[in-house]
Amino acid sequence: MSKLRVEKLQELMKQEASQIILRELKDPRIGFVTVTQVEMTGDLREAKIYVSLMGSEEQAAECLAGLNSSLGFVRRELGQRIRLRFTPQISFAVDKSLDYSEHINELLRDIKKDEGHE
């Protein structure tokens, strides 16, 4: 499969998954969720949807459980919206990059503050 086609499908799947989660899912456990990235295998059989979850650790775990319980619905909706020969198996994964970048910014602020006092 061409790399360009896989990248286009990843972007399309990211947009559609975001719309489905935002508008279609009615599970009360699912709070504020942002789809940050989708990674698909080269044969388009599997897709991992990375999500950023807001709230405490307990709320994030509950939200991820709600997302995982809706996997079948999300996969069916993606299959109807994106015309492919095979609808990929999907899974959700928590994207920790935003937390990591916040941690790095905090460290840089601390360094800057320490340099200013010396």
Side-chain angles (χ1 to χ4, degrees), residues 11 38 56 58 105:
E11 187 61 33
V38 173
S56 67
E58 182 180 307
N105 282 332

Side-chain angles (χ1 to χ4, degrees), residues 66-83:
L67 286 172
N68 284 328
S69 71
S70 67
L71 276 174
F73 175 77
V74 174
R75 182 173 185 239
R76 187 182 77 231
E77 287 294 315
L78 285 172
Q80 291 174 353
R81 295 175 187 205
I82 302 172
R83 292 287 181 203

